[in-house]
Short mmCIF file of all heavy atoms in Angstrom, two decimals:
data_model
loop_
_atom_site.label_atom_id
_atom_site.label_comp_id
_atom_site.label_asym_id
_atom_site.label_seq_id
_atom_site.Cartn_x
_atom_site.Cartn_y
_atom_site.Cartn_z
N ASP A 1 5.16 -71.21 -77.52
CA ASP A 1 6.24 -71.98 -77.88
C ASP A 1 6.02 -73.45 -77.43
O ASP A 1 5.39 -73.69 -76.49
CB ASP A 1 7.55 -71.46 -77.10
CG ASP A 1 7.94 -70.00 -77.62
OD1 ASP A 1 7.54 -69.73 -78.80
OD2 ASP A 1 8.58 -69.34 -76.88
N VAL A 2 6.63 -74.33 -78.18
CA VAL A 2 6.56 -75.74 -77.88
C VAL A 2 7.94 -76.19 -77.46
O VAL A 2 8.92 -75.90 -78.11
CB VAL A 2 6.16 -76.58 -79.17
CG1 VAL A 2 6.18 -78.04 -78.86
CG2 VAL A 2 4.65 -76.14 -79.50
N ILE A 3 8.00 -76.99 -76.40
CA ILE A 3 9.23 -77.50 -75.87
C ILE A 3 9.03 -79.03 -75.71
O ILE A 3 8.09 -79.46 -75.13
CB ILE A 3 9.57 -76.90 -74.49
CG1 ILE A 3 9.76 -75.40 -74.63
CG2 ILE A 3 10.90 -77.51 -73.96
CD1 ILE A 3 9.81 -74.65 -73.30
N THR A 4 9.99 -79.81 -76.25
CA THR A 4 9.90 -81.23 -76.10
C THR A 4 10.97 -81.73 -75.08
O THR A 4 12.16 -81.27 -75.14
CB THR A 4 10.26 -81.92 -77.45
OG1 THR A 4 9.23 -81.44 -78.45
CG2 THR A 4 10.15 -83.44 -77.30
N LEU A 5 10.47 -82.48 -74.09
CA LEU A 5 11.37 -82.96 -73.06
C LEU A 5 11.33 -84.49 -73.03
O LEU A 5 10.36 -85.08 -73.31
CB LEU A 5 10.92 -82.46 -71.63
CG LEU A 5 10.76 -80.95 -71.52
CD1 LEU A 5 10.09 -80.68 -70.17
CD2 LEU A 5 12.10 -80.31 -71.54
N LYS A 6 12.47 -85.00 -72.62
CA LYS A 6 12.50 -86.52 -72.35
C LYS A 6 12.38 -86.70 -70.92
O LYS A 6 13.12 -86.16 -70.05
CB LYS A 6 13.81 -87.11 -72.86
CG LYS A 6 13.93 -87.08 -74.34
CD LYS A 6 15.23 -87.76 -74.78
CE LYS A 6 15.34 -87.77 -76.26
NZ LYS A 6 16.52 -88.49 -76.69
N SER A 7 11.37 -87.44 -70.44
CA SER A 7 11.14 -87.69 -69.08
C SER A 7 11.72 -89.03 -68.62
O SER A 7 11.64 -90.01 -69.31
CB SER A 7 9.65 -87.74 -68.82
OG SER A 7 9.37 -88.15 -67.50
N LYS A 8 12.30 -89.01 -67.49
CA LYS A 8 12.87 -90.25 -66.93
C LYS A 8 12.23 -90.47 -65.58
O LYS A 8 12.81 -90.89 -64.62
CB LYS A 8 14.44 -90.13 -66.71
CG LYS A 8 15.16 -89.88 -68.03
CD LYS A 8 16.61 -89.74 -67.83
CE LYS A 8 17.29 -89.50 -69.23
NZ LYS A 8 18.71 -89.09 -69.08
N GLY A 9 10.94 -90.22 -65.45
CA GLY A 9 10.21 -90.47 -64.31
C GLY A 9 10.32 -89.39 -63.22
O GLY A 9 9.94 -89.57 -62.09
N GLN A 10 10.78 -88.14 -63.62
CA GLN A 10 10.90 -87.07 -62.63
C GLN A 10 9.50 -86.67 -62.09
O GLN A 10 8.52 -86.87 -62.73
CB GLN A 10 11.48 -85.86 -63.31
CG GLN A 10 12.86 -86.01 -63.76
CD GLN A 10 12.98 -86.40 -65.23
OE1 GLN A 10 12.09 -86.99 -65.77
NE2 GLN A 10 14.11 -86.04 -65.81
N GLU A 11 9.54 -86.23 -60.85
CA GLU A 11 8.33 -85.80 -60.20
C GLU A 11 7.89 -84.37 -60.63
O GLU A 11 6.73 -84.03 -60.59
CB GLU A 11 8.48 -85.74 -58.66
CG GLU A 11 8.63 -87.22 -58.11
CD GLU A 11 8.68 -87.16 -56.64
OE1 GLU A 11 7.94 -86.43 -55.99
OE2 GLU A 11 9.52 -87.93 -56.08
N PHE A 12 8.87 -83.52 -61.06
CA PHE A 12 8.60 -82.17 -61.41
C PHE A 12 9.35 -81.75 -62.71
O PHE A 12 10.47 -82.26 -62.93
CB PHE A 12 9.08 -81.19 -60.32
CG PHE A 12 8.31 -81.35 -59.01
CD1 PHE A 12 8.77 -82.15 -58.03
CD2 PHE A 12 7.11 -80.70 -58.81
CE1 PHE A 12 8.10 -82.32 -56.87
CE2 PHE A 12 6.36 -80.88 -57.64
CZ PHE A 12 6.94 -81.68 -56.66
N ALA A 13 8.78 -80.77 -63.46
CA ALA A 13 9.52 -80.13 -64.50
C ALA A 13 9.70 -78.73 -64.01
O ALA A 13 8.72 -78.07 -63.54
CB ALA A 13 8.71 -80.14 -65.80
N LYS A 14 10.92 -78.17 -64.12
CA LYS A 14 11.16 -76.83 -63.67
C LYS A 14 11.41 -75.97 -64.89
O LYS A 14 12.19 -76.36 -65.76
CB LYS A 14 12.38 -76.86 -62.73
CG LYS A 14 12.16 -77.63 -61.44
CD LYS A 14 13.38 -77.68 -60.63
CE LYS A 14 13.12 -78.54 -59.34
NZ LYS A 14 14.24 -78.60 -58.47
N ILE A 15 10.77 -74.83 -64.92
CA ILE A 15 10.88 -73.92 -66.08
C ILE A 15 11.30 -72.53 -65.53
O ILE A 15 10.98 -72.10 -64.49
CB ILE A 15 9.70 -73.86 -66.99
CG1 ILE A 15 8.50 -73.36 -66.14
CG2 ILE A 15 9.38 -75.20 -67.61
CD1 ILE A 15 7.32 -73.11 -67.06
N LYS A 16 12.13 -71.89 -66.36
CA LYS A 16 12.57 -70.48 -66.07
C LYS A 16 12.14 -69.69 -67.28
O LYS A 16 12.32 -70.00 -68.40
CB LYS A 16 14.10 -70.38 -65.97
CG LYS A 16 14.64 -71.05 -64.83
CD LYS A 16 16.24 -70.97 -64.85
CE LYS A 16 16.82 -71.80 -63.74
NZ LYS A 16 18.30 -71.71 -63.81
N LEU A 17 11.41 -68.53 -66.95
CA LEU A 17 10.88 -67.73 -68.05
C LEU A 17 11.59 -66.37 -68.04
O LEU A 17 11.86 -65.78 -67.05
CB LEU A 17 9.40 -67.50 -67.80
CG LEU A 17 8.44 -68.53 -68.43
CD1 LEU A 17 8.47 -69.80 -67.58
CD2 LEU A 17 7.08 -68.02 -68.50
N LYS A 18 11.85 -65.92 -69.34
CA LYS A 18 12.45 -64.57 -69.56
C LYS A 18 11.56 -63.94 -70.69
O LYS A 18 10.95 -64.60 -71.43
CB LYS A 18 13.84 -64.68 -70.09
CG LYS A 18 14.83 -65.23 -69.11
CD LYS A 18 16.22 -65.30 -69.74
CE LYS A 18 17.23 -65.81 -68.75
NZ LYS A 18 18.55 -65.76 -69.33
N ASP A 19 11.51 -62.66 -70.64
CA ASP A 19 10.88 -61.90 -71.70
C ASP A 19 11.91 -61.83 -72.86
O ASP A 19 13.03 -62.23 -72.78
CB ASP A 19 10.39 -60.54 -71.31
CG ASP A 19 11.47 -59.49 -71.06
OD1 ASP A 19 12.65 -59.91 -71.07
OD2 ASP A 19 11.17 -58.33 -70.78
N ARG A 20 11.43 -61.49 -74.10
CA ARG A 20 12.30 -61.35 -75.27
C ARG A 20 12.34 -59.97 -75.70
O ARG A 20 11.35 -59.44 -76.27
CB ARG A 20 11.72 -62.28 -76.30
CG ARG A 20 12.68 -62.73 -77.38
CD ARG A 20 12.08 -63.66 -78.30
NE ARG A 20 11.86 -64.96 -77.76
CZ ARG A 20 11.24 -66.00 -78.38
NH1 ARG A 20 10.65 -65.78 -79.46
NH2 ARG A 20 11.13 -67.16 -77.80
N ASP A 21 13.40 -59.31 -75.44
CA ASP A 21 13.54 -57.92 -75.88
C ASP A 21 14.51 -57.79 -77.04
O ASP A 21 15.52 -58.53 -77.12
CB ASP A 21 14.21 -57.04 -74.71
CG ASP A 21 13.32 -56.94 -73.51
OD1 ASP A 21 12.05 -56.92 -73.69
OD2 ASP A 21 13.75 -56.99 -72.42
N ARG A 22 14.23 -56.91 -77.98
CA ARG A 22 15.07 -56.66 -79.16
C ARG A 22 16.17 -55.67 -78.87
O ARG A 22 17.33 -55.80 -79.47
CB ARG A 22 14.24 -56.24 -80.29
CG ARG A 22 13.29 -57.31 -80.84
CD ARG A 22 12.56 -56.88 -82.09
NE ARG A 22 11.68 -57.96 -82.50
CZ ARG A 22 11.18 -58.05 -83.63
NH1 ARG A 22 11.45 -57.08 -84.50
NH2 ARG A 22 10.42 -59.03 -83.96
N LEU A 23 15.89 -54.67 -78.09
CA LEU A 23 16.83 -53.56 -77.96
C LEU A 23 17.54 -53.54 -76.62
O LEU A 23 18.43 -52.74 -76.37
CB LEU A 23 16.10 -52.22 -78.17
CG LEU A 23 15.48 -52.03 -79.49
CD1 LEU A 23 14.64 -50.74 -79.56
CD2 LEU A 23 16.44 -52.14 -80.66
N SER A 24 17.18 -54.44 -75.72
CA SER A 24 17.80 -54.46 -74.41
C SER A 24 17.96 -55.97 -74.04
O SER A 24 17.41 -56.91 -74.67
CB SER A 24 17.05 -53.71 -73.36
OG SER A 24 15.78 -54.26 -73.17
N LEU A 25 18.57 -56.22 -72.86
CA LEU A 25 18.72 -57.61 -72.37
C LEU A 25 17.38 -58.14 -72.00
O LEU A 25 16.41 -57.53 -71.57
CB LEU A 25 19.59 -57.53 -71.14
CG LEU A 25 21.12 -57.15 -71.32
CD1 LEU A 25 21.80 -57.13 -70.06
CD2 LEU A 25 21.71 -58.11 -72.33
N ASN A 26 17.22 -59.50 -72.12
CA ASN A 26 16.07 -60.21 -71.71
C ASN A 26 15.99 -60.20 -70.19
O ASN A 26 16.96 -60.36 -69.48
CB ASN A 26 16.06 -61.61 -72.20
CG ASN A 26 16.02 -61.69 -73.74
OD1 ASN A 26 15.58 -60.75 -74.43
ND2 ASN A 26 16.45 -62.71 -74.36
N ASP A 27 14.76 -59.94 -69.69
CA ASP A 27 14.60 -59.88 -68.22
C ASP A 27 14.10 -61.19 -67.73
O ASP A 27 13.16 -61.81 -68.33
CB ASP A 27 13.56 -58.80 -67.84
CG ASP A 27 14.09 -57.42 -68.24
OD1 ASP A 27 15.21 -57.10 -68.00
OD2 ASP A 27 13.22 -56.63 -68.83
N ARG A 28 14.55 -61.65 -66.53
CA ARG A 28 13.95 -62.86 -65.89
C ARG A 28 12.61 -62.61 -65.33
O ARG A 28 12.43 -61.62 -64.58
CB ARG A 28 14.92 -63.33 -64.79
CG ARG A 28 16.22 -63.81 -65.25
CD ARG A 28 17.07 -64.36 -64.14
NE ARG A 28 18.44 -64.31 -64.46
CZ ARG A 28 19.38 -64.00 -63.60
NH1 ARG A 28 19.14 -63.81 -62.39
NH2 ARG A 28 20.68 -63.96 -64.07
N LEU A 29 11.58 -63.41 -65.68
CA LEU A 29 10.31 -63.20 -65.22
C LEU A 29 10.00 -64.04 -63.95
O LEU A 29 9.16 -63.71 -63.12
CB LEU A 29 9.28 -63.53 -66.27
CG LEU A 29 9.34 -62.71 -67.52
CD1 LEU A 29 8.39 -63.21 -68.56
CD2 LEU A 29 9.13 -61.21 -67.24
N GLY A 30 10.67 -65.17 -63.84
CA GLY A 30 10.48 -66.01 -62.71
C GLY A 30 10.62 -67.52 -63.07
O GLY A 30 10.92 -67.78 -64.21
N LYS A 31 10.45 -68.32 -62.09
CA LYS A 31 10.53 -69.83 -62.26
C LYS A 31 9.23 -70.40 -61.84
O LYS A 31 8.52 -69.86 -61.00
CB LYS A 31 11.61 -70.34 -61.31
CG LYS A 31 12.97 -69.83 -61.59
CD LYS A 31 13.95 -70.41 -60.49
CE LYS A 31 15.30 -69.84 -60.61
NZ LYS A 31 16.25 -70.33 -59.63
N ALA A 32 8.90 -71.58 -62.40
CA ALA A 32 7.75 -72.39 -62.06
C ALA A 32 8.21 -73.82 -61.96
O ALA A 32 8.99 -74.32 -62.68
CB ALA A 32 6.67 -72.18 -63.06
N GLU A 33 7.47 -74.54 -61.06
CA GLU A 33 7.69 -75.93 -60.91
C GLU A 33 6.41 -76.64 -61.17
O GLU A 33 5.39 -76.43 -60.59
CB GLU A 33 8.15 -76.25 -59.42
CG GLU A 33 8.72 -77.60 -59.26
CD GLU A 33 9.43 -77.68 -57.87
OE1 GLU A 33 10.64 -77.31 -57.82
OE2 GLU A 33 8.75 -78.17 -56.95
N ILE A 34 6.44 -77.56 -62.17
CA ILE A 34 5.29 -78.28 -62.66
C ILE A 34 5.32 -79.66 -62.19
O ILE A 34 6.09 -80.46 -62.49
CB ILE A 34 5.24 -78.30 -64.23
CG1 ILE A 34 5.58 -76.93 -64.90
CG2 ILE A 34 3.96 -78.83 -64.74
CD1 ILE A 34 4.86 -75.79 -64.39
N PRO A 35 4.31 -80.09 -61.33
CA PRO A 35 4.17 -81.44 -60.81
C PRO A 35 3.80 -82.36 -62.02
O PRO A 35 2.82 -82.05 -62.73
CB PRO A 35 3.16 -81.41 -59.70
CG PRO A 35 2.56 -80.04 -59.86
CD PRO A 35 3.29 -79.19 -60.65
N LEU A 36 4.41 -83.48 -62.18
CA LEU A 36 4.15 -84.37 -63.35
C LEU A 36 3.34 -85.52 -63.00
O LEU A 36 2.91 -86.30 -63.99
CB LEU A 36 5.57 -84.72 -63.98
CG LEU A 36 6.36 -83.58 -64.52
CD1 LEU A 36 7.69 -84.15 -65.03
CD2 LEU A 36 5.64 -82.96 -65.66
N THR A 37 3.04 -85.85 -61.75
CA THR A 37 2.31 -87.08 -61.41
C THR A 37 1.02 -87.20 -62.16
O THR A 37 0.58 -88.19 -62.72
CB THR A 37 2.17 -87.08 -59.89
OG1 THR A 37 3.39 -86.97 -59.23
CG2 THR A 37 1.51 -88.44 -59.44
N SER A 38 0.24 -86.07 -62.10
CA SER A 38 -1.13 -86.05 -62.76
C SER A 38 -0.95 -86.11 -64.26
O SER A 38 -1.83 -86.69 -64.95
CB SER A 38 -1.95 -84.85 -62.32
OG SER A 38 -1.35 -83.66 -62.73
N VAL A 39 0.07 -85.51 -64.75
CA VAL A 39 0.33 -85.56 -66.26
C VAL A 39 0.62 -87.01 -66.69
O VAL A 39 0.08 -87.47 -67.72
CB VAL A 39 1.49 -84.67 -66.72
CG1 VAL A 39 1.75 -84.75 -68.14
CG2 VAL A 39 1.18 -83.23 -66.28
N TYR A 40 1.42 -87.78 -65.92
CA TYR A 40 1.71 -89.16 -66.29
C TYR A 40 0.42 -90.00 -66.19
O TYR A 40 0.19 -90.83 -67.11
CB TYR A 40 2.68 -89.76 -65.26
CG TYR A 40 4.06 -89.21 -65.29
CD1 TYR A 40 4.82 -89.06 -64.15
CD2 TYR A 40 4.64 -88.81 -66.54
CE1 TYR A 40 6.11 -88.57 -64.17
CE2 TYR A 40 5.99 -88.31 -66.52
CZ TYR A 40 6.66 -88.15 -65.42
OH TYR A 40 7.96 -87.72 -65.39
N ALA A 41 -0.49 -89.64 -65.25
CA ALA A 41 -1.65 -90.46 -65.11
C ALA A 41 -2.75 -90.15 -66.18
O ALA A 41 -3.31 -91.05 -66.77
CB ALA A 41 -2.26 -90.20 -63.69
N ALA A 42 -2.97 -88.84 -66.41
CA ALA A 42 -4.00 -88.37 -67.33
C ALA A 42 -3.51 -88.30 -68.81
O ALA A 42 -4.32 -88.32 -69.73
CB ALA A 42 -4.58 -87.11 -66.92
N GLY A 43 -2.19 -88.16 -68.96
CA GLY A 43 -1.67 -88.01 -70.36
C GLY A 43 -1.58 -86.62 -70.79
O GLY A 43 -0.84 -86.31 -71.76
N LYS A 44 -2.25 -85.68 -70.12
CA LYS A 44 -2.08 -84.24 -70.45
C LYS A 44 -2.57 -83.38 -69.37
O LYS A 44 -3.30 -83.90 -68.46
CB LYS A 44 -2.90 -83.88 -71.78
CG LYS A 44 -4.32 -84.11 -71.71
CD LYS A 44 -5.00 -83.84 -73.06
CE LYS A 44 -6.48 -84.14 -72.98
NZ LYS A 44 -7.12 -83.83 -74.28
N SER A 45 -2.32 -82.09 -69.39
CA SER A 45 -2.75 -81.21 -68.39
C SER A 45 -2.71 -79.76 -68.95
O SER A 45 -1.86 -79.47 -69.86
CB SER A 45 -1.79 -81.22 -67.19
OG SER A 45 -2.08 -80.21 -66.17
N SER A 46 -3.55 -78.90 -68.49
CA SER A 46 -3.54 -77.48 -68.88
C SER A 46 -3.92 -76.71 -67.61
O SER A 46 -4.97 -76.83 -67.15
CB SER A 46 -4.58 -77.19 -69.98
OG SER A 46 -4.62 -75.86 -70.31
N GLN A 47 -2.90 -75.95 -67.13
CA GLN A 47 -3.09 -75.34 -65.84
C GLN A 47 -2.17 -74.07 -65.69
O GLN A 47 -1.11 -74.05 -66.24
CB GLN A 47 -2.72 -76.35 -64.71
CG GLN A 47 -3.09 -75.96 -63.34
CD GLN A 47 -2.89 -77.04 -62.33
OE1 GLN A 47 -2.93 -78.25 -62.73
NE2 GLN A 47 -2.63 -76.81 -61.10
N TRP A 48 -2.66 -73.12 -64.90
CA TRP A 48 -1.83 -71.97 -64.53
C TRP A 48 -0.96 -72.33 -63.37
O TRP A 48 -1.46 -72.89 -62.41
CB TRP A 48 -2.74 -70.80 -64.20
CG TRP A 48 -3.48 -70.21 -65.39
CD1 TRP A 48 -4.69 -70.60 -65.85
CD2 TRP A 48 -2.97 -69.25 -66.30
NE1 TRP A 48 -4.97 -69.84 -67.03
CE2 TRP A 48 -3.93 -69.00 -67.27
CE3 TRP A 48 -1.77 -68.51 -66.35
CZ2 TRP A 48 -3.78 -68.10 -68.29
CZ3 TRP A 48 -1.63 -67.57 -67.38
CH2 TRP A 48 -2.61 -67.40 -68.36
N TYR A 49 0.33 -71.86 -63.43
CA TYR A 49 1.24 -72.03 -62.30
C TYR A 49 1.85 -70.68 -61.94
O TYR A 49 2.11 -69.83 -62.90
CB TYR A 49 2.32 -72.99 -62.75
CG TYR A 49 1.87 -74.41 -62.98
CD1 TYR A 49 1.49 -74.81 -64.23
CD2 TYR A 49 1.73 -75.28 -61.94
CE1 TYR A 49 1.00 -76.13 -64.41
CE2 TYR A 49 1.24 -76.54 -62.14
CZ TYR A 49 0.92 -76.99 -63.35
OH TYR A 49 0.42 -78.25 -63.60
N PRO A 50 2.10 -70.46 -60.69
CA PRO A 50 2.67 -69.22 -60.26
C PRO A 50 4.13 -69.14 -60.64
O PRO A 50 4.89 -70.13 -60.62
CB PRO A 50 2.54 -69.24 -58.78
CG PRO A 50 2.42 -70.67 -58.35
CD PRO A 50 1.80 -71.38 -59.54
N LEU A 51 4.57 -67.91 -61.06
CA LEU A 51 5.95 -67.64 -61.40
C LEU A 51 6.54 -67.03 -60.05
O LEU A 51 5.99 -66.16 -59.51
CB LEU A 51 6.09 -66.68 -62.47
CG LEU A 51 5.85 -67.16 -63.93
CD1 LEU A 51 5.97 -65.98 -64.88
CD2 LEU A 51 6.84 -68.22 -64.24
N GLN A 52 7.66 -67.54 -59.66
CA GLN A 52 8.33 -67.09 -58.46
C GLN A 52 9.73 -66.53 -58.80
O GLN A 52 10.46 -67.09 -59.59
CB GLN A 52 8.54 -68.23 -57.46
CG GLN A 52 7.76 -67.99 -56.21
CD GLN A 52 8.00 -69.12 -55.17
OE1 GLN A 52 7.76 -70.24 -55.53
NE2 GLN A 52 8.36 -68.74 -54.02
N LYS A 53 10.04 -65.38 -58.22
CA LYS A 53 11.29 -64.76 -58.38
C LYS A 53 11.83 -64.47 -56.93
O LYS A 53 11.23 -63.53 -56.28
CB LYS A 53 11.30 -63.52 -59.24
CG LYS A 53 12.60 -62.94 -59.68
CD LYS A 53 12.34 -61.78 -60.69
CE LYS A 53 13.67 -61.19 -61.10
NZ LYS A 53 13.45 -60.13 -61.98
N GLY A 54 12.68 -65.27 -56.44
CA GLY A 54 13.08 -65.14 -55.02
C GLY A 54 11.92 -65.52 -54.18
O GLY A 54 11.31 -66.62 -54.39
N ASP A 55 11.51 -64.73 -53.27
CA ASP A 55 10.39 -65.02 -52.34
C ASP A 55 9.07 -64.49 -52.83
O ASP A 55 8.05 -64.63 -52.19
CB ASP A 55 10.64 -64.55 -50.95
CG ASP A 55 11.84 -65.23 -50.27
OD1 ASP A 55 12.09 -66.42 -50.61
OD2 ASP A 55 12.34 -64.65 -49.35
N LYS A 56 9.14 -63.81 -53.95
CA LYS A 56 7.88 -63.13 -54.51
C LYS A 56 7.24 -63.89 -55.70
O LYS A 56 7.92 -64.47 -56.47
CB LYS A 56 8.28 -61.66 -54.96
CG LYS A 56 8.69 -60.80 -53.85
CD LYS A 56 8.93 -59.42 -54.39
CE LYS A 56 9.40 -58.45 -53.29
NZ LYS A 56 9.59 -57.08 -53.77
N ILE A 57 5.98 -63.83 -55.69
CA ILE A 57 5.18 -64.27 -56.84
C ILE A 57 5.09 -63.14 -57.86
O ILE A 57 4.65 -62.05 -57.58
CB ILE A 57 3.78 -64.71 -56.44
CG1 ILE A 57 3.79 -65.82 -55.35
CG2 ILE A 57 2.92 -65.16 -57.68
CD1 ILE A 57 4.35 -67.16 -55.84
N THR A 58 5.63 -63.35 -59.04
CA THR A 58 5.69 -62.28 -60.06
C THR A 58 4.72 -62.40 -61.14
O THR A 58 4.53 -61.54 -62.06
CB THR A 58 7.10 -62.25 -60.73
OG1 THR A 58 7.40 -63.56 -61.20
CG2 THR A 58 8.17 -62.00 -59.68
N GLY A 59 3.89 -63.43 -61.14
CA GLY A 59 2.85 -63.61 -62.16
C GLY A 59 2.51 -65.11 -62.22
O GLY A 59 2.71 -65.87 -61.36
N GLU A 60 1.78 -65.44 -63.36
CA GLU A 60 1.41 -66.80 -63.63
C GLU A 60 1.73 -67.13 -65.07
O GLU A 60 1.84 -66.28 -65.93
CB GLU A 60 -0.08 -67.00 -63.41
CG GLU A 60 -0.50 -66.83 -61.97
CD GLU A 60 -1.95 -67.03 -61.83
OE1 GLU A 60 -2.79 -66.56 -62.63
OE2 GLU A 60 -2.42 -67.77 -60.89
N VAL A 61 1.94 -68.49 -65.35
CA VAL A 61 2.13 -68.90 -66.67
C VAL A 61 1.17 -70.10 -66.94
O VAL A 61 1.01 -70.94 -66.09
CB VAL A 61 3.62 -69.26 -66.91
CG1 VAL A 61 4.06 -70.43 -65.90
CG2 VAL A 61 3.93 -69.68 -68.32
N LEU A 62 0.60 -70.09 -68.11
CA LEU A 62 -0.32 -71.26 -68.50
C LEU A 62 0.58 -72.28 -69.20
O LEU A 62 1.30 -72.03 -70.18
CB LEU A 62 -1.31 -70.78 -69.48
CG LEU A 62 -2.25 -71.88 -69.96
CD1 LEU A 62 -3.01 -72.58 -68.90
CD2 LEU A 62 -3.22 -71.32 -71.04
N VAL A 63 0.60 -73.48 -68.63
CA VAL A 63 1.36 -74.57 -69.13
C VAL A 63 0.41 -75.67 -69.63
O VAL A 63 -0.38 -76.18 -68.82
CB VAL A 63 2.35 -75.15 -68.08
CG1 VAL A 63 3.12 -76.33 -68.62
CG2 VAL A 63 3.31 -74.10 -67.58
N GLU A 64 0.51 -75.97 -70.91
CA GLU A 64 -0.29 -77.12 -71.46
C GLU A 64 0.81 -78.15 -71.83
O GLU A 64 1.75 -77.88 -72.55
CB GLU A 64 -0.99 -76.64 -72.74
CG GLU A 64 -2.05 -75.60 -72.44
CD GLU A 64 -2.85 -75.16 -73.62
OE1 GLU A 64 -2.49 -75.58 -74.78
OE2 GLU A 64 -3.87 -74.44 -73.47
N ILE A 65 0.59 -79.33 -71.27
CA ILE A 65 1.59 -80.37 -71.34
C ILE A 65 0.91 -81.71 -71.71
O ILE A 65 -0.19 -81.98 -71.31
CB ILE A 65 2.38 -80.49 -70.05
CG1 ILE A 65 3.55 -81.41 -70.19
CG2 ILE A 65 1.51 -80.87 -68.85
CD1 ILE A 65 4.51 -81.28 -68.96
N GLU A 66 1.59 -82.43 -72.58
CA GLU A 66 1.14 -83.81 -73.00
C GLU A 66 2.21 -84.79 -72.69
O GLU A 66 3.43 -84.46 -72.88
CB GLU A 66 0.79 -83.84 -74.46
CG GLU A 66 -0.51 -83.05 -74.82
CD GLU A 66 -0.80 -83.12 -76.30
OE1 GLU A 66 -0.34 -84.14 -76.94
OE2 GLU A 66 -1.59 -82.31 -76.80
N TYR A 67 1.84 -85.96 -72.35
CA TYR A 67 2.76 -87.01 -72.07
C TYR A 67 2.58 -88.17 -73.04
O TYR A 67 1.46 -88.72 -73.11
CB TYR A 67 2.69 -87.51 -70.60
CG TYR A 67 3.56 -88.68 -70.22
CD1 TYR A 67 4.92 -88.55 -70.34
CD2 TYR A 67 2.98 -89.84 -69.82
CE1 TYR A 67 5.75 -89.64 -69.98
CE2 TYR A 67 3.79 -90.90 -69.48
CZ TYR A 67 5.17 -90.81 -69.63
OH TYR A 67 5.99 -91.86 -69.23
N HIS A 68 3.58 -88.56 -73.76
CA HIS A 68 3.55 -89.65 -74.75
C HIS A 68 4.55 -90.70 -74.33
O HIS A 68 5.79 -90.49 -74.75
CB HIS A 68 3.75 -89.14 -76.18
CG HIS A 68 2.77 -88.15 -76.57
ND1 HIS A 68 1.55 -88.42 -77.06
CD2 HIS A 68 2.92 -86.72 -76.59
CE1 HIS A 68 0.89 -87.31 -77.35
NE2 HIS A 68 1.66 -86.27 -77.08
N PRO A 69 4.26 -91.68 -73.59
CA PRO A 69 5.27 -92.60 -72.98
C PRO A 69 6.06 -93.43 -74.01
O PRO A 69 7.17 -93.76 -73.76
CB PRO A 69 4.45 -93.42 -72.06
CG PRO A 69 3.06 -93.37 -72.55
CD PRO A 69 2.93 -92.04 -73.12
N ASN A 70 5.48 -93.71 -75.18
CA ASN A 70 6.13 -94.50 -76.11
C ASN A 70 6.68 -93.82 -77.31
O ASN A 70 7.06 -94.45 -78.31
CB ASN A 70 5.18 -95.65 -76.62
CG ASN A 70 4.75 -96.52 -75.37
OD1 ASN A 70 5.50 -96.85 -74.57
ND2 ASN A 70 3.44 -96.83 -75.35
N THR A 71 6.70 -92.43 -77.28
CA THR A 71 7.15 -91.72 -78.41
C THR A 71 8.68 -91.61 -78.38
O THR A 71 9.28 -91.25 -77.37
CB THR A 71 6.59 -90.29 -78.40
OG1 THR A 71 5.19 -90.41 -78.42
CG2 THR A 71 7.09 -89.51 -79.61
N VAL A 72 9.38 -91.91 -79.45
CA VAL A 72 10.81 -91.74 -79.55
C VAL A 72 11.12 -90.46 -80.32
O VAL A 72 10.56 -90.24 -81.37
CB VAL A 72 11.45 -92.94 -80.28
CG1 VAL A 72 12.96 -92.78 -80.47
CG2 VAL A 72 11.09 -94.25 -79.57
N VAL A 73 11.95 -89.61 -79.70
CA VAL A 73 12.24 -88.33 -80.39
C VAL A 73 13.65 -88.39 -80.86
O VAL A 73 14.51 -88.82 -80.23
CB VAL A 73 12.03 -87.19 -79.36
CG1 VAL A 73 12.46 -85.83 -80.02
CG2 VAL A 73 10.70 -87.12 -78.88
#
């Protein structure tokens, strides 16, 4: 999936992941916090981040992110 965000100089992007079920409720998989400092500097990043649910690590998510400072959406 592709998500477009407007950045106002935040240090982190926070994401919450759920699975997508057709016959039952979607389950929460966890949360991840993506540091943006290196993305601002390099313009892009591709990295695995841990998913956390409470105090437990429930998995990992691959986040590929690009930063376009002059793009108007």
